Amino acid sequence: MESWLLLFLLGLVFAVDGVGSCNVTYDGRSLIMNGHHKILFSGSIHYPRTTPQMWPSLIAKAKAGGLDVIQTLVFWNLHEPQPGQFDFSGQRDIVRFIKEIQAQGLYACIRIGPFIQGEWSYGGLPFWLHDIPGIVYRSDNEPFKYHMEKFVSKIVSLMKAEKLYASQGGPIILSQIENEYGMVEAAFREKGPPYLHWAAEMAVGLQTGVPWINACNGRRCGETFPGPNSPNKPAIWTENWTSFYQVYGDEPNIRSAEDIAFHVALFIAKKGSYVNYYMYHGGTNFGRTAAAYILTSYYDQAPLDEYGLFRMPKWGHLKELHAAIKLCINPLVSGVHTTMVLGRSQVAFVYRRKLVDCAAFLVNNDTRKTVVVTFQDSLYELPPKSISILPDCKTEAFNTAKVSTQYNTRAAETWQKLDSFEKWEEHKETIPTFEDNSLRANMLLEHMNTTKDNSDYLWYSSMFQNELSDAEFVLNVTSSAHVLHAFVNGAFVGSTHGSFKTKTHTLECKITLSKGTNYISLLSGMVGLPDSGAFLERRVAGINTVRVKGEHEIKDFGSYSWGYQVGLLGEKLQVYTDSGSSKVEWNTYGSSTRHRTLFDAAAGKEPVALNLESIGRYWVSFLTPKGVPSQTRYNVPRSFLKRRGNLLVILEEENGYPLGISIDTVSITKVCGHVSDSHLQPVISWQQQNRTEDKHPGRRPKVQLQCPPGRSISRILFASYGDCENYSIGTCHSFTSLPTIEKACLGKRICSIPVWSKRFGNDPCPGVPKTLLVDAKCT
């Protein structure tokens, strides 16, 4: 998806004098904090997509990665599930989250919305808004504005009461009202602009000092963003997508560390001053919080993966980038900016401050070839589509295409197999008939307006008389819900589902009807509500048409009398809880809709995942183009578990097989470094002195390996110093590679080996460029 421009209403908190307060202003170059211009790197971590027990570790890892700010959305439907009933407990405790950010010395940005999109069900809006007479979301509409203002005021008051704004000594330096409104404004016509102005004035009235600043979302804001709409405002990138959200039926969307680094460096080179990574840690869409067709695993390819583990080299490469840009801070924020053409597709962005400080960004936009450019009488080799950062306008500290940090491999290890019949019990979901339902209508009701977001499921039940004996018919059902299961006289007859791109789907199957009364029961299911677009309150879902085709006639059941049941009986009885589970009858294992077992928590501290390769309500049969399920493992935070006797209840919609389920642990099991002698030394060792003639091994390119806490390097799987490529020894290879690496690394959690022939005893092939490739196992 290409980048787009949007109006981002950014709240800058203007401080008053006070102990610990921070005076935040801005000019055309950057935010100014207590009189100091700042280049800020930010990362999105959403508090309800993780757990309070994980917040300290995630924030610490973000800080270690060179971030200055943690950004989060604020989730209206989570905090006000019913009008006037607020919940800020557990994972909803935004105050605790902000205070943890503060405790670790970082700033915070809260995007109140209250419409947030964010692949969150209903865009973060509580569904009870739908039932307010005359309401039109996100427009110049009094009912919506009334409830929106109440919620925003509640959040701002909460932040003020806890003294969390920068003016009070807190960490919040930025806040947002509304979100991505430029994408829908035209649809509201004359009702759009007045609403935006009202939102701005409302925010100003809450004394958050809210001016208009237009910002950029997307992957390539360094190329697509024309700049702020005033020379007195800084350039801000609010969502730099580190990958992209994934929907059921799609493959993961991978974005390389090199590509992210290139576009961040380009944005900064063009006077950008604030970059937020969306997401820095995506986490998990627990419960029913994901939007339509969105996986529970959210932005797993972010620098910190779903489980909070380092996604390398992305995390490490961006850390090096941030450090390199911070070396340029003085000329960037107060120097004179010039642009120099270095070639057909090459350019230099130069910042000079007086006669002392100078920083340069050398850009090669050619995607196919390496070029050599001349800058200030020196030659620089630029790989394809790369930027070299020169903090002193002389020495390269970093190149976006040269990854010197390690790669790692995440793997799951089976802790416990739940593969015996004796471990499982079953409970069959009751299929309601027309007589079982008290809610009835002579029409097919819309799904979402009937369930009120209290369940993903809605039963449609009807009956009719057949005058023939055991006659064959064809059942034809069209639906705009996500999944449909059909039953005739209590027997399953077929299923179908839509997709993220195909909203309406049709089930057509042969059925046999008995003479006399016959029952049709249709289960309509949603996997998340829609989350974007204008007039969200008008969206519809559910069963559209029901027809039974005989040899000579077609019966249209759209106007027949239908009975309705919101949710499954098992939901109502809460059979997934210890108390609810004990209230229903469970039988020995067979073939049913619910399966129950107990399991113990895995030993250790590694993340735990439930492996559902062949079962579960999240569509293991809904395959990607490569023929595999979009998701098979589901994050189970350790704070959700007790040491022994954890109750696991599986709802199975597609006749799956529970004996394939396992409890897994997830960890980093392998680390790899691949560095050539043309790579740069680690930025942490770079100082503003010319190191081109310095032969000290500590300042050479290095392979740096690091296992996660509790693990050490137990085996070197591959090692070669020479011209190795793709894990194969080339014509140039030092035979001391393996023993040298083993001596340096075995038994250690962290080791570092310079790319230097003397380290390996001799030069195996003088004059040939050298590469050091090491692959190691962590146990």
Side-chain angles (χ1 to χ4, degrees):
M1 181 181 294
E2 293 297 320
S3 307
W4 58 75
L5 299 180
L6 61 141
L7 288 174
F8 185 86
L9 196 55
L10 189 64
L12 303 184
V13 184
F14 293 91
V16 295
D17 291 335
V19 177
S21 64
C22 179
N23 186 351
V24 183
T25 57
Y26 66 91
D27 61 16
R29 186 62 195 96
S30 73
L31 299 181
I32 305 171
M33 303 173 67
N34 285 339
H36 298 285
H37 286 81
K38 295 287 185 178
I39 303 294
L40 297 174
F41 295 104
S42 171
S44 290
I45 300 174
H46 295 161
Y47 54 98
R49 282 175 160 143
T50 178
T51 66
Q53 292 75 16
M54 291 178 66
W55 293 345
S57 172
L58 293 171
I59 294 167
K61 290 175 179 178
K63 182 178 181 179
L67 296 195
D68 310 288
V69 185
I70 301 298
Q71 183 183 106
T72 185
L73 299 170
V74 180
F75 302 79
W76 187 1
N77 56 7
L78 204 65
H79 293 303
E80 194 178 6
Q82 296 298 326
Q85 299 179 14
F86 292 96
D87 189 349
F88 295 98
S89 63
Q91 289 171 267
R92 301 169 175 84
D93 193 346
I94 185 174
V95 168
R96 179 177 171 183
F97 182 69
I98 299 297
K99 287 185 175 180
E100 182 60 40
I101 294 171
Q102 182 180 27
Q104 299 207 33
L106 298 181
Y107 301 118
C109 170
I110 59 171
R111 302 173 65 182
I112 300 174
F115 170 81
I116 57 172
Q117 207 270 335
E119 294 73 57
W120 192 263
S121 191
Y122 220 47
L125 301 177
F127 196 82
W128 53 258
L129 287 173
H130 183 275
D131 293 332
I132 295 172
I135 197 166
V136 180
Y137 307 159
R138 307 177 70 198
S139 71
D140 190 21
N141 172 269
E142 292 305 319
F144 180 72
K145 293 192 294 183
Y146 170 78
H147 289 282
M148 172 180 169
E149 184 173 12
K150 282 186 65 177
F151 177 72
V152 173
S153 299
K154 175 74 175 181
I155 297 300
V156 171
S157 297
L158 181 64
M159 298 298 107
K160 286 183 177 180
E162 298 290 337
K163 300 186 183 302
L164 295 178
Y165 282 106
S167 58
Q168 303 170 297
I172 301 174
I173 59 170
L174 303 172
S175 61
Q176 177 199 355
I177 195 74
E178 250 299 339
N179 185 37
E180 300 183 353
Y181 198 74
M183 299 178 65
V184 299
E185 182 177 7
F188 294 111
R189 299 185 179 181
E190 71 278 2
K191 294 289 187 178
Y195 165 70
L196 266 185
H197 290 298
W198 169 84
E201 291 175 358
M202 183 265 288
V204 169
L206 295 172
Q207 298 182 350
T208 55
V210 181
W212 286 106
I213 296 180
N214 62 318
C216 185
N217 278 15
R219 294 174 181 252
R220 303 181 299 114
C221 286
E223 295 177 346
T224 61
F225 189 46
N229 57 6
S230 166
N232 299 319
K233 297 176 181 178
I236 291 176
W237 190 351
T238 56
E239 289 189 13
N240 179 9
W241 304 326
T242 55
S243 57
F244 206 55
Y245 63 83
Q246 188 179 353
V247 300
Y248 285 99
D250 278 4
E251 304 288 350
N253 187 302
I254 308 298
R255 189 181 181 196
S256 71
E258 297 94 321
D259 184 63
I260 299 173
F262 175 88
H263 289 284
V264 170
L266 185 62
F267 187 74
I268 297 298
K270 292 184 175 181
K271 296 188 177 182
S273 63
Y274 179 97
V275 176
N276 178 71
Y277 297 103
Y278 190 100
M279 300 287 297
Y280 198 77
H281 164 70
T284 306
N285 293 312
F286 296 106
R288 299 175 51 248
T289 59
Y293 294 99
I294 300 294
L295 270 61
T296 64
S297 177
Y298 190 63
Y299 274 83
D300 185 42
Q301 294 293 326
L304 299 177
D305 71 9
E306 178 181 11
Y307 304 96
L309 303 175
F310 292 113
R311 177 72 69 181
M312 300 290 277
K314 194 171 288 185
W315 182 88
H317 195 51
L318 295 179
K319 175 183 179 179
E320 289 275 286
L321 169 67
H322 304 150
I325 290 174
K326 291 298 177 72
L327 290 172
C328 308
I329 189 70
N330 289 332
L332 275 176
V333 298
S334 58
V336 177
H337 171 252
T338 58
T339 302
M340 299 172 56
V341 176
L342 303 179
R344 179 177 296 179
S345 300
Q346 294 75 41
V347 64
F349 297 94
V350 184
Y351 291 83
R352 294 185 184 276
R353 179 174 175 261
K354 299 180 179 179
L355 298 176
V356 181
D357 292 330
C358 181
F361 295 73
L362 309 186
V363 181
N364 179 16
N365 284 305
D366 193 311
T367 59
R368 295 174 297 176
K369 62 182 180 180
T370 297
V371 297
V372 177
V373 298
T374 301
F375 175 71
Q376 294 196 161
D377 299 325
S378 295
L379 298 178
Y380 298 89
E381 185 178 88
L382 305 179
K385 200 67 175 179
S386 73
I387 299 176
S388 281
I389 299 176
L390 285 58
D392 59 357
C393 283
K394 296 179 182 178
T395 310
E396 289 180 274
F398 181 84
N399 181 276
T400 60
K402 296 179 179 181
V403 177
S404 297
T405 56
Q406 73 178 23
Y407 293 72
N408 61 18
T409 301
R410 185 182 76 185
E413 299 172 332
T414 300
W415 163 256
Q416 182 180 1
K417 291 184 178 181
L418 305 176
D419 57 354
S420 70
F421 291 101
E422 292 75 18
K423 294 183 180 191
W424 288 98
E425 298 175 298
E426 69 163 31
H427 168 72
K428 191 171 182 63
E429 176 71 24
T430 301
I431 300 171
T433 62
F434 179 79
E435 289 95 338
D436 298 327
N437 304 132
S438 57
L439 175 61
R440 298 180 181 179
N442 292 326
M443 60 185 299
L444 294 166
L445 296 181
E446 194 275 326
H447 182 119
M448 293 184 290
N449 191 43
T450 307
T451 62
K452 308 297 184 188
D453 199 28
N454 290 314
S455 173
D456 287 336
Y457 296 102
L458 177 63
W459 281 104
Y460 293 70
S461 303
S462 189
M463 64 180 182
F464 73 99
Q465 299 294 319
N466 175 40
E467 299 177 357
L468 304 175
S469 297
D470 296 333
E472 284 197 352
F473 293 82
V474 173
L475 175 65
N476 181 284
V477 185
T478 62
S479 173
S480 56
H482 297 159
V483 64
L484 167 69
H485 303 291
F487 302 82
V488 174
N489 296 327
F492 174 74
V493 295
S495 293
T496 184
H497 60 70
S499 69
F500 187 73
K501 296 178 181 178
T502 305
K503 308 303 182 186
T504 302
H505 47 103
T506 301
L507 169 68
E508 188 164 284
C509 57
K510 292 182 179 181
I511 59 174
T512 300
L513 301 178
S514 304
K515 185 175 182 178
T517 303
N518 290 265
Y519 297 93
I520 296 177
S521 301
L522 305 173
L523 181 59
S524 174
M526 301 287 286
V527 182
L529 300 184
D531 69 334
S532 60
F535 303 109
L536 196 60
E537 70 283 351
R538 301 179 188 176
R539 299 294 180 83
V540 295
I543 294 174
N544 303 323
T545 64
V546 181
R547 296 183 177 91
V548 175
K549 303 176 184 180
E551 185 176 351
H552 302 294
E553 63 176 331
I554 299 176
K555 290 184 179 294
D556 189 336
F557 278 73
S559 59
Y560 270 52
S561 185
W562 287 88
Y564 297 90
Q565 175 184 301
V566 174
L568 304 176
L569 181 60
E571 285 182 289
K572 182 179 180 180
L573 298 175
Q574 295 186 322
V575 298
Y576 46 84
T577 66
D578 289 326
S579 59
S581 177
S582 64
K583 295 177 182 178
V584 300
E585 182 179 355
W586 294 85
N587 302 310
T588 56
Y589 173 76
S591 177
S592 191
T593 52
R594 279 195 176 83
H595 308 276
R596 179 180 75 166
T597 191
L598 298 174
F599 71 93
D600 298 336
K605 297 182 179 180
E606 292 170 332
V608 176
L610 186 63
N611 185 352
L612 302 178
E613 288 189 356
S614 60
I615 194 171
R617 68 151 295 194
Y618 285 109
W619 310 349
V620 291
S621 68
F622 193 171
L623 304 181
T624 71
K626 293 182 179 179
V628 297
S630 295
Q631 184 174 358
T632 57
R633 287 188 173 85
Y634 295 85
N635 179 27
V636 184
R638 284 190 174 269
S639 59
F640 288 9
L641 300 173
K642 51 189 179 181
R643 185 178 178 185
R644 297 187 182 278
N646 295 284
L647 174 65
L648 171 61
V649 176
I650 299 292
L651 170 64
E652 170 52 32
E653 296 186 11
E654 299 180 342
N655 298 316
Y657 189 67
L659 302 189
I661 295 175
S662 65
I663 309 300
D664 296 349
T665 58
V666 181
S667 60
I668 303 302
T669 58
K670 289 202 306 179
V671 292
C672 170
H674 187 193
V675 177
S676 72
D677 53 14
S678 67
H679 279 66
L680 302 166
Q681 65 197 40
V683 176
I684 194 172
S685 68
W686 197 94
Q687 296 179 352
Q688 290 190 350
Q689 299 175 15
N690 192 326
R691 301 293 185 185
T692 56
E693 300 300 325
D694 197 331
K695 301 300 183 183
H696 192 284
R699 300 189 182 97
R700 291 180 173 276
K702 299 176 182 177
V703 165
Q704 302 178 93
L705 302 179
Q706 179 172 317
C707 291
R711 290 186 172 235
S712 60
I713 297 172
S714 59
R715 182 184 172 192
I716 304 301
L717 303 172
F718 181 89
S720 177
Y721 175 73
D723 60 354
C724 53
E725 194 73 36
N726 296 325
Y727 295 96
S728 61
I729 294 174
T731 57
C732 172
H733 167 70
S734 172
F735 291 99
T736 65
S737 298
L738 182 59
T740 300
I741 300 302
E742 288 179 334
K743 181 179 179 181
C745 298
L746 283 182
K748 299 179 181 178
R749 178 173 169 247
I750 301 172
C751 67
S752 178
I753 312 100
V755 184
W756 191 28
S757 59
K758 290 185 179 180
R759 189 64 183 266
F760 295 91
N762 55 56
D763 190 335
C765 41
V768 175
K770 307 298 188 304
T771 294
L772 177 59
L773 174 58
V774 181
D775 192 20
K777 185 174 183 179
C778 295
T779 58

